Amino acid sequence: MGDLHDDQTRFIKVLQQGPAAFPEGLFAGSPERALLGLKAHANTISHARLVALEETYPRTRAHMGEAEFNALSRTFIERADVRSRKLMGLGEGFADYLADQGHDGAAVDLARIEWAWLQSYHAAEAVALQLADLAGLDEPGLLDLGLALHPSARLVETQGSVGHLMPELDDSAAAHMRHLLITRPEHEVLLHPLAALPADLLSQVRFPALMGNLLSQAVERAGEAEALPAVFALIGARALVRSRG
Protein backbone atom coordinates (compact mmCIF):
# COMPACT_ATOMS: atom_id res chain seq x y z
CA MET A 1 0.00 0.00 0.00
CA GLY A 2 1.41 3.40 -0.99
CA ASP A 3 1.68 6.44 1.17
CA LEU A 4 -1.67 8.30 1.22
CA HIS A 5 -0.08 11.74 1.05
CA ASP A 6 2.03 10.74 -1.97
CA ASP A 7 -0.99 9.23 -3.70
CA GLN A 8 -3.02 12.38 -3.11
CA THR A 9 -0.19 14.57 -4.39
CA ARG A 10 0.07 12.55 -7.60
CA PHE A 11 -3.69 12.57 -8.06
CA ILE A 12 -3.89 16.37 -7.69
CA LYS A 13 -0.95 16.77 -10.07
CA VAL A 14 -2.80 14.81 -12.73
CA LEU A 15 -5.93 16.93 -12.26
CA GLN A 16 -3.94 20.14 -12.54
CA GLN A 17 -1.50 19.18 -15.32
CA GLY A 18 -3.47 16.67 -17.35
CA PRO A 19 -2.50 13.36 -19.01
CA ALA A 20 1.21 14.25 -19.23
CA ALA A 21 1.46 13.85 -15.46
CA PHE A 22 -0.40 10.51 -15.39
CA PRO A 23 1.74 7.96 -13.44
CA GLU A 24 1.58 4.30 -14.33
CA GLY A 25 -0.33 2.22 -11.81
CA LEU A 26 -2.13 5.11 -10.11
CA PHE A 27 -5.57 3.71 -10.99
CA ALA A 28 -6.95 0.22 -11.40
CA GLY A 29 -7.90 -0.75 -14.93
CA SER A 30 -6.41 0.37 -18.21
CA PRO A 31 -4.75 3.80 -18.41
CA GLU A 32 -6.99 4.67 -21.35
CA ARG A 33 -10.19 4.18 -19.33
CA ALA A 34 -8.75 6.09 -16.38
CA LEU A 35 -7.76 8.97 -18.64
CA LEU A 36 -11.26 9.15 -20.12
CA GLY A 37 -12.68 9.46 -16.63
CA LEU A 38 -10.10 12.08 -15.67
CA LYS A 39 -10.81 14.13 -18.77
CA ALA A 40 -14.53 14.18 -18.00
CA HIS A 41 -13.78 15.16 -14.41
CA ALA A 42 -11.30 17.82 -15.53
CA ASN A 43 -13.88 19.32 -17.89
CA THR A 44 -16.37 19.52 -15.00
CA ILE A 45 -13.81 21.22 -12.77
CA SER A 46 -12.78 23.63 -15.53
CA HIS A 47 -16.41 24.59 -16.13
CA ALA A 48 -16.99 25.16 -12.40
CA ARG A 49 -13.94 27.41 -12.20
CA LEU A 50 -15.07 29.45 -15.20
CA VAL A 51 -18.51 29.86 -13.64
CA ALA A 52 -16.90 30.91 -10.34
CA LEU A 53 -14.92 33.60 -12.14
CA GLU A 54 -18.04 34.81 -13.95
CA GLU A 55 -19.91 35.06 -10.64
CA THR A 56 -17.02 36.97 -9.07
CA TYR A 57 -16.90 39.55 -11.87
CA PRO A 58 -20.41 39.95 -13.34
CA ARG A 59 -20.08 43.67 -14.13
CA THR A 60 -16.62 43.28 -15.58
CA ARG A 61 -17.99 40.53 -17.78
CA ALA A 62 -20.95 42.65 -18.89
CA HIS A 63 -18.63 45.57 -19.69
CA MET A 64 -16.14 43.47 -21.65
CA GLY A 65 -18.65 41.25 -23.41
CA GLU A 66 -19.13 37.56 -22.79
CA ALA A 67 -16.86 36.28 -25.57
CA GLU A 68 -13.84 38.37 -24.64
CA PHE A 69 -14.30 37.80 -20.91
CA ASN A 70 -14.55 34.04 -21.36
CA ALA A 71 -11.49 33.91 -23.59
CA LEU A 72 -9.39 35.78 -21.02
CA SER A 73 -10.88 33.73 -18.18
CA ARG A 74 -9.82 30.45 -19.77
CA THR A 75 -6.26 31.70 -20.07
CA PHE A 76 -6.27 33.10 -16.53
CA ILE A 77 -7.44 29.91 -14.78
CA GLU A 78 -4.74 27.89 -16.56
CA ARG A 79 -1.95 29.95 -15.04
CA ALA A 80 0.27 27.89 -12.74
CA ASP A 81 -0.40 30.12 -9.74
CA VAL A 82 -4.17 29.95 -10.26
CA ARG A 83 -4.68 26.22 -10.88
CA SER A 84 -4.19 25.20 -7.26
CA ARG A 85 -6.55 27.80 -5.78
CA LYS A 86 -9.87 27.04 -4.17
CA LEU A 87 -12.94 28.56 -5.81
CA MET A 88 -13.28 31.28 -3.16
CA GLY A 89 -9.86 32.72 -3.99
CA LEU A 90 -9.85 31.96 -7.69
CA GLY A 91 -10.35 35.54 -8.87
CA GLU A 92 -7.49 37.12 -6.93
CA GLY A 93 -5.27 39.15 -9.24
CA PHE A 94 -7.68 39.10 -12.18
CA ALA A 95 -7.68 42.92 -12.34
CA ASP A 96 -3.87 42.95 -12.56
CA TYR A 97 -4.08 40.29 -15.25
CA LEU A 98 -6.46 42.47 -17.28
CA ALA A 99 -4.08 45.40 -16.88
CA ASP A 100 -1.13 43.27 -18.02
CA GLN A 101 -3.16 42.27 -21.09
CA GLY A 102 -3.61 45.94 -21.97
CA HIS A 103 -7.32 46.02 -21.28
CA ASP A 104 -9.19 49.28 -20.87
CA GLY A 105 -9.09 51.08 -17.54
CA ALA A 106 -12.81 50.70 -16.86
CA ALA A 107 -12.56 46.90 -16.99
CA VAL A 108 -9.57 46.95 -14.64
CA ASP A 109 -11.33 49.32 -12.23
CA LEU A 110 -14.51 47.23 -12.24
CA ALA A 111 -12.54 44.08 -11.55
CA ARG A 112 -10.73 45.73 -8.62
CA ILE A 113 -14.05 46.94 -7.22
CA GLU A 114 -15.76 43.57 -7.61
CA TRP A 115 -12.89 41.71 -5.93
CA ALA A 116 -12.89 44.23 -3.05
CA TRP A 117 -16.68 43.83 -2.79
CA LEU A 118 -16.28 40.06 -2.39
CA GLN A 119 -13.55 40.45 0.23
CA SER A 120 -15.70 42.93 2.15
CA TYR A 121 -18.71 40.61 1.97
CA HIS A 122 -16.76 37.73 3.52
CA ALA A 123 -14.93 39.82 6.13
CA ALA A 124 -15.29 39.27 9.88
CA GLU A 125 -18.18 40.82 11.77
CA ALA A 126 -17.58 43.94 13.88
CA VAL A 127 -19.64 46.78 15.33
CA ALA A 128 -18.92 49.92 13.32
CA LEU A 129 -18.39 53.21 15.10
CA GLN A 130 -21.20 55.70 14.50
CA LEU A 131 -21.47 59.44 15.05
CA ALA A 132 -24.03 58.82 17.81
CA ASP A 133 -21.34 56.95 19.75
CA LEU A 134 -19.36 60.19 20.07
CA ALA A 135 -22.20 62.22 21.56
CA GLY A 136 -21.55 61.24 25.16
CA LEU A 137 -17.80 61.84 25.12
CA ASP A 138 -16.13 64.92 26.54
CA GLU A 139 -13.15 66.44 24.71
CA PRO A 140 -10.43 64.35 26.43
CA GLY A 141 -12.50 61.18 25.96
CA LEU A 142 -13.04 61.96 22.28
CA LEU A 143 -9.38 62.70 21.58
CA ASP A 144 -8.28 59.54 23.43
CA LEU A 145 -10.80 57.32 21.63
CA GLY A 146 -8.99 54.41 20.02
CA LEU A 147 -9.86 53.68 16.40
CA ALA A 148 -9.21 50.74 14.10
CA LEU A 149 -10.34 49.88 10.59
CA HIS A 150 -13.51 47.86 10.25
CA PRO A 151 -12.57 44.35 9.00
CA SER A 152 -14.75 44.84 5.92
CA ALA A 153 -13.28 48.18 4.86
CA ARG A 154 -11.69 48.10 1.40
CA LEU A 155 -10.45 51.16 -0.50
CA VAL A 156 -10.16 51.06 -4.29
CA GLU A 157 -8.39 53.79 -6.21
CA THR A 158 -9.92 54.03 -9.66
CA GLN A 159 -7.93 55.02 -12.73
CA GLY A 160 -10.81 56.44 -14.73
CA SER A 161 -14.50 57.26 -14.58
CA VAL A 162 -16.55 54.16 -13.77
CA GLY A 163 -19.37 55.77 -11.81
CA HIS A 164 -21.69 55.53 -14.82
CA LEU A 165 -21.25 51.75 -14.71
CA MET A 166 -22.48 51.56 -11.11
CA PRO A 167 -26.14 52.62 -10.99
CA GLU A 168 -26.36 52.34 -7.18
CA LEU A 169 -24.06 55.34 -6.79
CA ASP A 170 -25.35 58.90 -6.74
CA ASP A 171 -24.51 60.54 -10.08
CA SER A 172 -23.08 63.70 -8.56
CA ALA A 173 -20.84 61.80 -6.14
CA ALA A 174 -19.68 59.27 -8.70
CA ALA A 175 -19.06 61.58 -11.65
CA HIS A 176 -15.45 62.34 -10.77
CA MET A 177 -14.88 59.48 -8.33
CA ARG A 178 -11.27 58.44 -7.84
CA HIS A 179 -11.63 56.54 -4.58
CA LEU A 180 -14.35 54.06 -3.64
CA LEU A 181 -14.72 52.80 -0.08
CA ILE A 182 -16.47 49.47 0.37
CA THR A 183 -17.82 48.42 3.77
CA ARG A 184 -20.17 45.84 5.25
CA PRO A 185 -21.07 47.06 8.74
CA GLU A 186 -24.04 44.69 9.00
CA HIS A 187 -25.65 42.50 6.33
CA GLU A 188 -25.34 44.74 3.28
CA VAL A 189 -22.22 45.75 1.37
CA LEU A 190 -22.14 49.54 0.99
CA LEU A 191 -20.30 51.66 -1.58
CA HIS A 192 -19.04 55.15 -0.74
CA PRO A 193 -17.26 57.47 -3.19
CA LEU A 194 -14.61 59.28 -1.14
CA ALA A 195 -12.93 62.63 -1.57
CA ALA A 196 -9.13 62.74 -1.61
CA LEU A 197 -8.59 63.65 2.06
CA PRO A 198 -10.63 60.86 3.75
CA ALA A 199 -9.20 58.38 1.24
CA ASP A 200 -5.69 59.59 2.10
CA LEU A 201 -6.39 59.22 5.81
CA LEU A 202 -7.76 55.75 5.35
CA SER A 203 -4.76 54.55 3.38
CA GLN A 204 -1.93 56.49 5.06
CA VAL A 205 -2.79 56.61 8.77
CA ARG A 206 -1.42 53.69 10.76
CA PHE A 207 -4.35 52.09 12.56
CA PRO A 208 -5.03 51.50 15.42
CA ALA A 209 -4.85 55.23 16.09
CA LEU A 210 -6.27 57.70 18.57
CA MET A 211 -8.98 60.06 17.36
CA GLY A 212 -6.72 62.96 18.34
CA ASN A 213 -3.95 61.66 16.09
CA LEU A 214 -6.35 61.13 13.21
CA LEU A 215 -7.65 64.69 13.52
CA SER A 216 -4.11 66.07 13.77
CA GLN A 217 -3.05 64.32 10.59
CA ALA A 218 -6.19 65.54 8.81
CA VAL A 219 -5.43 69.13 9.88
CA GLU A 220 -1.81 68.75 8.77
CA ARG A 221 -2.85 67.48 5.34
CA ALA A 222 -5.69 69.88 4.53
CA GLY A 223 -6.30 72.42 7.25
CA GLU A 224 -8.79 72.67 10.10
CA ALA A 225 -11.82 73.42 7.93
CA GLU A 226 -11.44 70.16 6.00
CA ALA A 227 -10.30 67.91 8.85
CA LEU A 228 -13.55 67.26 10.71
CA PRO A 229 -15.70 66.59 7.59
CA ALA A 230 -13.07 64.07 6.40
CA VAL A 231 -13.15 62.15 9.70
CA PHE A 232 -16.94 62.34 9.77
CA ALA A 233 -17.00 60.89 6.24
CA LEU A 234 -15.09 57.81 7.42
CA ILE A 235 -17.33 57.36 10.45
CA GLY A 236 -20.46 57.91 8.37
CA ALA A 237 -19.29 55.26 5.92
CA ARG A 238 -18.92 52.82 8.84
CA ALA A 239 -15.24 52.25 8.09
CA LEU A 240 -13.99 52.50 11.69
CA VAL A 241 -14.43 50.57 14.92
CA ARG A 242 -13.31 51.16 18.49
CA SER A 243 -9.88 49.64 18.98
CA ARG A 244 -9.33 47.31 21.87
CA GLY A 245 -5.69 48.27 22.29
Side-chain angles (χ1 to χ4, degrees), residues 45-88:
I45 292 176
S46 178
H47 177 71
R49 290 164 73 79
L50 288 171
V51 169
L53 208 61
E54 291 175 356
E55 292 178 347
T56 301
Y57 297 106
R59 295 189 183 186
T60 308
R61 180 189 181 202
H63 172 73
M64 293 173 59
E66 184 171 350
E68 188 168 8
F69 181 88
N70 286 344
L72 285 168
S73 296
R74 291 178 185 279
T75 305
F76 178 76
I77 66 171
E78 290 303 320
R79 292 173 52 170
D81 61 319
V82 178
R83 281 189 198 143
S84 59
R85 295 180 190 171
K86 296 180 180 179
L87 291 183
M88 185 66 69

Short mmCIF file of all heavy atoms in Angstrom, two decimals, residues 45-88:
data_model
loop_
_atom_site.label_atom_id
_atom_site.label_comp_id
_atom_site.label_asym_id
_atom_site.label_seq_id
_atom_site.Cartn_x
_atom_site.Cartn_y
_atom_site.Cartn_z
N ILE A 45 -14.51 20.28 -13.65
CA ILE A 45 -13.81 21.22 -12.77
C ILE A 45 -13.54 22.53 -13.51
O ILE A 45 -13.73 23.61 -12.97
CB ILE A 45 -12.48 20.60 -12.28
CG1 ILE A 45 -12.78 19.44 -11.32
CG2 ILE A 45 -11.62 21.65 -11.59
CD1 ILE A 45 -11.55 18.70 -10.86
N SER A 46 -13.07 22.43 -14.74
CA SER A 46 -12.78 23.63 -15.53
C SER A 46 -14.03 24.49 -15.69
O SER A 46 -13.97 25.72 -15.55
CB SER A 46 -12.23 23.24 -16.90
OG SER A 46 -11.98 24.38 -17.68
N HIS A 47 -15.16 23.85 -15.97
CA HIS A 47 -16.41 24.59 -16.13
C HIS A 47 -16.78 25.28 -14.82
O HIS A 47 -17.20 26.45 -14.82
CB HIS A 47 -17.53 23.66 -16.56
CG HIS A 47 -18.86 24.33 -16.68
ND1 HIS A 47 -19.16 25.24 -17.68
CD2 HIS A 47 -19.98 24.26 -15.89
CE1 HIS A 47 -20.39 25.69 -17.52
NE2 HIS A 47 -20.90 25.11 -16.45
N ALA A 48 -16.65 24.58 -13.70
CA ALA A 48 -16.99 25.16 -12.40
C ALA A 48 -16.11 26.36 -12.09
O ALA A 48 -16.58 27.36 -11.52
CB ALA A 48 -16.84 24.10 -11.31
N ARG A 49 -14.85 26.29 -12.47
CA ARG A 49 -13.94 27.41 -12.20
C ARG A 49 -14.27 28.61 -13.08
O ARG A 49 -14.19 29.76 -12.64
CB ARG A 49 -12.50 26.93 -12.41
CG ARG A 49 -12.05 25.96 -11.33
CD ARG A 49 -10.81 25.19 -11.71
NE ARG A 49 -9.61 26.02 -11.67
CZ ARG A 49 -8.96 26.33 -10.56
NH1 ARG A 49 -9.38 25.91 -9.38
NH2 ARG A 49 -7.86 27.05 -10.60
N LEU A 50 -14.65 28.36 -14.32
CA LEU A 50 -15.07 29.45 -15.20
C LEU A 50 -16.33 30.12 -14.67
O LEU A 50 -16.44 31.35 -14.68
CB LEU A 50 -15.29 28.93 -16.62
CG LEU A 50 -14.04 28.56 -17.41
CD1 LEU A 50 -14.43 27.85 -18.70
CD2 LEU A 50 -13.20 29.80 -17.71
N VAL A 51 -17.27 29.31 -14.20
CA VAL A 51 -18.51 29.86 -13.64
C VAL A 51 -18.20 30.68 -12.39
O VAL A 51 -18.77 31.75 -12.17
CB VAL A 51 -19.51 28.74 -13.32
CG1 VAL A 51 -20.69 29.27 -12.51
CG2 VAL A 51 -20.01 28.10 -14.61
N ALA A 52 -17.27 30.18 -11.54
CA ALA A 52 -16.90 30.91 -10.34
C ALA A 52 -16.31 32.27 -10.68
O ALA A 52 -16.59 33.27 -10.01
CB ALA A 52 -15.91 30.09 -9.52
N LEU A 53 -15.51 32.33 -11.73
CA LEU A 53 -14.92 33.60 -12.14
C LEU A 53 -16.00 34.54 -12.68
O LEU A 53 -15.97 35.75 -12.41
CB LEU A 53 -13.84 33.35 -13.19
CG LEU A 53 -12.71 34.38 -13.27
CD1 LEU A 53 -11.95 34.45 -11.95
CD2 LEU A 53 -11.76 34.04 -14.40
N GLU A 54 -16.94 34.00 -13.44
CA GLU A 54 -18.04 34.81 -13.95
C GLU A 54 -18.86 35.39 -12.81
O GLU A 54 -19.28 36.56 -12.85
CB GLU A 54 -18.96 33.96 -14.84
CG GLU A 54 -18.32 33.55 -16.17
CD GLU A 54 -19.22 32.61 -16.95
OE1 GLU A 54 -20.29 32.24 -16.42
OE2 GLU A 54 -18.85 32.24 -18.08
N GLU A 55 -19.10 34.59 -11.76
CA GLU A 55 -19.91 35.06 -10.64
C GLU A 55 -19.15 36.05 -9.77
O GLU A 55 -19.77 36.85 -9.07
CB GLU A 55 -20.37 33.86 -9.81
CG GLU A 55 -21.36 32.98 -10.55
CD GLU A 55 -21.79 31.77 -9.76
OE1 GLU A 55 -21.14 31.47 -8.72
OE2 GLU A 55 -22.77 31.11 -10.15
N THR A 56 -17.83 36.01 -9.81
CA THR A 56 -17.02 36.97 -9.07
C THR A 56 -17.01 38.32 -9.76
O THR A 56 -16.98 39.37 -9.10
CB THR A 56 -15.58 36.45 -8.91
OG1 THR A 56 -15.60 35.19 -8.22
CG2 THR A 56 -14.71 37.43 -8.14
N TYR A 57 -17.05 38.32 -11.09
CA TYR A 57 -16.90 39.55 -11.87
C TYR A 57 -18.05 39.76 -12.85
O TYR A 57 -17.83 39.90 -14.06
CB TYR A 57 -15.58 39.51 -12.64
CG TYR A 57 -14.37 39.46 -11.74
CD1 TYR A 57 -13.63 38.29 -11.58
CD2 TYR A 57 -13.95 40.60 -11.05
CE1 TYR A 57 -12.52 38.25 -10.75
CE2 TYR A 57 -12.84 40.57 -10.23
CZ TYR A 57 -12.13 39.39 -10.08
OH TYR A 57 -11.04 39.37 -9.26
N PRO A 58 -19.30 39.82 -12.39
CA PRO A 58 -20.41 39.95 -13.34
C PRO A 58 -20.42 41.28 -14.10
O PRO A 58 -20.75 41.32 -15.29
CB PRO A 58 -21.66 39.82 -12.43
CG PRO A 58 -21.17 40.21 -11.06
CD PRO A 58 -19.77 39.72 -11.01
N ARG A 59 -20.05 42.38 -13.44
CA ARG A 59 -20.08 43.67 -14.13
C ARG A 59 -18.90 43.82 -15.07
O ARG A 59 -19.03 44.42 -16.14
CB ARG A 59 -20.09 44.81 -13.10
CG ARG A 59 -21.35 44.82 -12.27
CD ARG A 59 -21.46 46.07 -11.43
NE ARG A 59 -22.66 46.01 -10.60
CZ ARG A 59 -23.08 46.99 -9.84
NH1 ARG A 59 -22.40 48.13 -9.80
NH2 ARG A 59 -24.17 46.87 -9.11
N THR A 60 -17.78 43.28 -14.68
CA THR A 60 -16.62 43.28 -15.58
C THR A 60 -16.95 42.48 -16.83
O THR A 60 -16.64 42.91 -17.96
CB THR A 60 -15.40 42.67 -14.88
OG1 THR A 60 -15.19 43.31 -13.62
CG2 THR A 60 -14.16 42.82 -15.73
N ARG A 61 -17.59 41.37 -16.64
CA ARG A 61 -17.99 40.53 -17.78
C ARG A 61 -18.97 41.25 -18.69
O ARG A 61 -18.83 41.22 -19.92
CB ARG A 61 -18.61 39.24 -17.24
CG ARG A 61 -19.07 38.25 -18.30
CD ARG A 61 -19.86 37.14 -17.65
NE ARG A 61 -20.31 36.16 -18.60
CZ ARG A 61 -21.34 35.35 -18.39
NH1 ARG A 61 -22.02 35.42 -17.26
NH2 ARG A 61 -21.69 34.47 -19.30
N ALA A 62 -19.96 41.93 -18.09
CA ALA A 62 -20.95 42.65 -18.89
C ALA A 62 -20.28 43.79 -19.66
O ALA A 62 -20.64 44.05 -20.82
CB ALA A 62 -22.05 43.20 -17.98
N HIS A 63 -19.33 44.46 -19.03
CA HIS A 63 -18.63 45.57 -19.69
C HIS A 63 -17.77 45.08 -20.84
O HIS A 63 -17.76 45.69 -21.93
CB HIS A 63 -17.77 46.31 -18.66
CG HIS A 63 -16.87 47.34 -19.27
ND1 HIS A 63 -17.32 48.54 -19.77
CD2 HIS A 63 -15.51 47.33 -19.49
CE1 HIS A 63 -16.30 49.23 -20.25
NE2 HIS A 63 -15.20 48.53 -20.10
N MET A 64 -17.06 43.98 -20.64
CA MET A 64 -16.14 43.47 -21.65
C MET A 64 -16.86 42.73 -22.78
O MET A 64 -16.37 42.69 -23.91
CB MET A 64 -15.12 42.53 -21.00
CG MET A 64 -14.16 43.21 -20.04
SD MET A 64 -13.12 42.01 -19.15
CE MET A 64 -12.32 41.19 -20.54
N GLY A 65 -17.99 42.14 -22.46
CA GLY A 65 -18.65 41.25 -23.41
C GLY A 65 -18.31 39.81 -23.08
O GLY A 65 -17.17 39.49 -22.68
N GLU A 66 -19.29 38.95 -23.23
CA GLU A 66 -19.13 37.56 -22.79
C GLU A 66 -17.99 36.85 -23.50
O GLU A 66 -17.20 36.13 -22.88
CB GLU A 66 -20.44 36.80 -23.01
CG GLU A 66 -20.40 35.38 -22.50
CD GLU A 66 -21.76 34.71 -22.54
OE1 GLU A 66 -22.76 35.41 -22.79
OE2 GLU A 66 -21.81 33.49 -22.32
N ALA A 67 -17.88 37.02 -24.81
CA ALA A 67 -16.86 36.28 -25.57
C ALA A 67 -15.44 36.65 -25.13
O ALA A 67 -14.61 35.77 -24.89
CB ALA A 67 -17.04 36.54 -27.07
N GLU A 68 -15.19 37.94 -25.02
CA GLU A 68 -13.84 38.37 -24.64
C GLU A 68 -13.53 37.99 -23.20
O GLU A 68 -12.41 37.55 -22.88
CB GLU A 68 -13.70 39.87 -24.83
CG GLU A 68 -12.28 40.37 -24.63
CD GLU A 68 -12.10 41.80 -25.11
OE1 GLU A 68 -13.11 42.44 -25.45
OE2 GLU A 68 -10.95 42.26 -25.14
N PHE A 69 -14.51 38.16 -22.31
CA PHE A 69 -14.30 37.80 -20.91
C PHE A 69 -13.99 36.31 -20.79
O PHE A 69 -13.06 35.92 -20.06
CB PHE A 69 -15.53 38.16 -20.09
CG PHE A 69 -15.40 37.84 -18.62
CD1 PHE A 69 -14.86 38.76 -17.74
CD2 PHE A 69 -15.82 36.61 -18.13
CE1 PHE A 69 -14.73 38.46 -16.39
CE2 PHE A 69 -15.70 36.30 -16.78
CZ PHE A 69 -15.16 37.24 -15.91
N ASN A 70 -14.76 35.48 -21.46
CA ASN A 70 -14.55 34.04 -21.36
C ASN A 70 -13.20 33.62 -21.93
O ASN A 70 -12.54 32.73 -21.38
CB ASN A 70 -15.67 33.28 -22.07
CG ASN A 70 -16.97 33.32 -21.28
OD1 ASN A 70 -16.97 33.64 -20.10
ND2 ASN A 70 -18.07 33.00 -21.94
N ALA A 71 -12.78 34.25 -23.01
CA ALA A 71 -11.49 33.91 -23.59
C ALA A 71 -10.35 34.23 -22.61
O ALA A 71 -9.43 33.42 -22.41
CB ALA A 71 -11.28 34.66 -24.90
N LEU A 72 -10.41 35.41 -22.00
CA LEU A 72 -9.39 35.78 -21.02
C LEU A 72 -9.48 34.92 -19.77
O LEU A 72 -8.46 34.58 -19.16
CB LEU A 72 -9.52 37.26 -20.66
CG LEU A 72 -9.03 38.24 -21.73
CD1 LEU A 72 -9.48 39.65 -21.38
CD2 LEU A 72 -7.52 38.19 -21.85
N SER A 73 -10.69 34.56 -19.37
CA SER A 73 -10.88 33.73 -18.18
C SER A 73 -10.24 32.37 -18.35
O SER A 73 -9.60 31.85 -17.42
CB SER A 73 -12.38 33.56 -17.88
OG SER A 73 -12.98 34.78 -17.57
N ARG A 74 -10.41 31.78 -19.53
CA ARG A 74 -9.82 30.45 -19.77
C ARG A 74 -8.30 30.50 -19.68
O ARG A 74 -7.67 29.57 -19.15
CB ARG A 74 -10.26 29.94 -21.14
CG ARG A 74 -11.73 29.59 -21.22
CD ARG A 74 -12.16 29.12 -22.59
NE ARG A 74 -13.60 28.93 -22.66
CZ ARG A 74 -14.23 27.84 -22.23
NH1 ARG A 74 -13.52 26.84 -21.70
NH2 ARG A 74 -15.55 27.75 -22.32
N THR A 75 -7.71 31.55 -20.17
CA THR A 75 -6.26 31.70 -20.07
C THR A 75 -5.85 31.93 -18.63
O THR A 75 -4.86 31.36 -18.14
CB THR A 75 -5.77 32.86 -20.94
OG1 THR A 75 -6.22 32.66 -22.28
CG2 THR A 75 -4.26 32.94 -20.93
N PHE A 76 -6.61 32.75 -17.91
CA PHE A 76 -6.27 33.10 -16.53
C PHE A 76 -6.29 31.87 -15.62
O PHE A 76 -5.36 31.67 -14.82
CB PHE A 76 -7.26 34.15 -16.01
CG PHE A 76 -7.04 34.55 -14.58
CD1 PHE A 76 -6.00 35.40 -14.23
CD2 PHE A 76 -7.89 34.08 -13.58
CE1 PHE A 76 -5.80 35.78 -12.90
CE2 PHE A 76 -7.70 34.45 -12.25
CZ PHE A 76 -6.65 35.30 -11.92
N ILE A 77 -7.33 31.03 -15.71
CA ILE A 77 -7.44 29.91 -14.78
C ILE A 77 -6.43 28.81 -15.08
O ILE A 77 -6.22 27.93 -14.25
CB ILE A 77 -8.87 29.30 -14.77
CG1 ILE A 77 -9.21 28.66 -16.11
CG2 ILE A 77 -9.89 30.36 -14.37
CD1 ILE A 77 -10.50 27.85 -16.08
N GLU A 78 -5.77 28.88 -16.24
CA GLU A 78 -4.74 27.89 -16.56
C GLU A 78 -3.35 28.33 -16.12
O GLU A 78 -2.39 27.58 -16.28
CB GLU A 78 -4.73 27.61 -18.07
CG GLU A 78 -5.95 26.84 -18.56
CD GLU A 78 -6.10 25.51 -17.83
OE1 GLU A 78 -5.08 24.84 -17.60
OE2 GLU A 78 -7.25 25.17 -17.48
N ARG A 79 -3.24 29.52 -15.55
CA ARG A 79 -1.95 29.95 -15.04
C ARG A 79 -1.53 29.06 -13.87
O ARG A 79 -2.37 28.63 -13.08
CB ARG A 79 -2.02 31.41 -14.59
CG ARG A 79 -2.20 32.38 -15.74
CD ARG A 79 -2.43 33.80 -15.27
NE ARG A 79 -1.40 34.24 -14.33
CZ ARG A 79 -1.27 35.50 -13.92
NH1 ARG A 79 -2.09 36.42 -14.38
NH2 ARG A 79 -0.34 35.83 -13.07
N ALA A 80 -0.23 28.82 -13.77
CA ALA A 80 0.27 27.89 -12.74
C ALA A 80 -0.11 28.34 -11.34
O ALA A 80 -0.44 27.51 -10.48
CB ALA A 80 1.79 27.76 -12.88
N ASP A 81 -0.10 29.64 -11.09
CA ASP A 81 -0.40 30.12 -9.74
C ASP A 81 -1.89 30.14 -9.44
O ASP A 81 -2.28 30.35 -8.29
CB ASP A 81 0.19 31.53 -9.55
CG ASP A 81 -0.41 32.54 -10.52
OD1 ASP A 81 -0.59 32.18 -11.70
OD2 ASP A 81 -0.69 33.68 -10.11
N VAL A 82 -2.72 29.92 -10.45
CA VAL A 82 -4.17 29.95 -10.26
C VAL A 82 -4.75 28.55 -10.16
O VAL A 82 -5.75 28.33 -9.48
CB VAL A 82 -4.86 30.73 -11.41
CG1 VAL A 82 -6.38 30.74 -11.26
CG2 VAL A 82 -4.33 32.17 -11.46
N ARG A 83 -4.12 27.58 -10.81
CA ARG A 83 -4.68 26.22 -10.88
C ARG A 83 -4.95 25.61 -9.51
O ARG A 83 -5.92 24.88 -9.33
CB ARG A 83 -3.70 25.30 -11.62
CG ARG A 83 -3.73 25.42 -13.12
CD ARG A 83 -2.89 24.33 -13.72
NE ARG A 83 -2.52 24.60 -15.09
CZ ARG A 83 -1.36 24.28 -15.61
NH1 ARG A 83 -0.44 23.71 -14.85
NH2 ARG A 83 -1.09 24.54 -16.87
N SER A 84 -4.08 25.86 -8.56
CA SER A 84 -4.19 25.20 -7.26
C SER A 84 -5.12 25.92 -6.29
O SER A 84 -5.31 25.46 -5.16
CB SER A 84 -2.81 25.07 -6.62
OG SER A 84 -2.21 26.34 -6.45
N ARG A 85 -5.71 27.03 -6.69
CA ARG A 85 -6.55 27.80 -5.78
C ARG A 85 -7.92 27.17 -5.59
O ARG A 85 -8.46 26.53 -6.49
CB ARG A 85 -6.75 29.22 -6.30
CG ARG A 85 -5.51 30.06 -6.34
CD ARG A 85 -5.86 31.44 -6.88
NE ARG A 85 -4.66 32.23 -7.17
CZ ARG A 85 -4.68 33.38 -7.80
NH1 ARG A 85 -5.84 33.86 -8.24
NH2 ARG A 85 -3.56 34.03 -8.03
N LYS A 86 -8.48 27.39 -4.41
CA LYS A 86 -9.87 27.04 -4.17
C LYS A 86 -10.77 28.07 -4.87
O LYS A 86 -10.33 29.17 -5.20
CB LYS A 86 -10.16 27.01 -2.68
CG LYS A 86 -9.38 25.95 -1.93
CD LYS A 86 -9.70 25.98 -0.44
CE LYS A 86 -8.91 24.91 0.29
NZ LYS A 86 -9.19 24.93 1.76
N LEU A 87 -12.03 27.69 -5.06
CA LEU A 87 -12.94 28.56 -5.81
C LEU A 87 -13.09 29.94 -5.18
O LEU A 87 -13.19 30.94 -5.88
CB LEU A 87 -14.32 27.90 -5.94
CG LEU A 87 -14.40 26.66 -6.84
CD1 LEU A 87 -15.84 26.17 -6.91
CD2 LEU A 87 -13.87 26.94 -8.23
N MET A 88 -13.07 30.00 -3.85
CA MET A 88 -13.28 31.28 -3.16
C MET A 88 -12.19 32.29 -3.51
O MET A 88 -12.45 33.49 -3.61
CB MET A 88 -13.31 31.06 -1.65
CG MET A 88 -13.63 32.31 -0.86
SD MET A 88 -15.31 32.92 -1.15
CE MET A 88 -16.25 31.61 -0.34
#
